[in-house]
Amino acid sequence: MSKIESNPQYIKDKDMAKIEKKVAESIQNSITDDSIDPINQIDTDLFTKYKQLNINFKQEFNHDLKEVKRNIIFKNSLQHSISNFYEVEYVKDYVLRELHTINWNGQRLIVSYGYSKYDKKLHDPLNWYCE
């Protein structure tokens, strides 16, 4: 455990709430719900400071966001009203979930209990981020 805690990507529990707040504010100030390329509109300092937010993260994010949007389009085609997608909240939760991980020997490890709070919502985006 001490090797994991000495990893520069590891964020201590006592610092996580403060970091989550700063990251959430940065995301909310950078993007809107109708952003074309939200991940590239986020303050680049976040990607420099938090190494979990690397190119693999960006690729995974873009893939997952496209899938969610495809599902929303399909859902909207089956109903009489249109669902609004709260993209800012989705992006914020996606990035915050990643801060609870580190890259260790080529694998992504979940190192903080807060991961599941975001993961639960991200696995059911049509219920959590649509109205």
Side-chain angles (χ1 to χ4, degrees), residues 67-113:
E67 185 70 26
V68 168
K69 287 183 174 183
R70 206 171 321 166
N71 289 337
I72 292 168
I73 291 168
F74 179 72
K75 178 184 174 187
N76 284 340
S77 71
L78 298 175
Q79 58 190 22
H80 295 290
S81 61
I82 293 178
S83 295
N84 292 321
F85 177 49
Y86 298 106
E87 189 169 345
V88 174
E89 288 300 310
Y90 178 83
V91 173
K92 183 180 71 164
D93 287 351
Y94 206 98
V95 171
L96 292 176
R97 176 184 69 175
E98 197 65 20
L99 293 179
H100 293 272
T101 67
I102 63 168
N103 294 311
W104 183 264
N105 293 332
Q107 293 188 2
R108 185 170 157 239
L109 297 178
I110 300 167
V111 294
S112 176
Y113 67 89

Side-chain angles (χ1 to χ4, degrees), residues 20 25 36 55 57 97 124:
E20 282 183 336
E25 287 173 359
I36 301 297
I55 190 69
F57 166 78
R97 176 184 69 175
D124 192 10

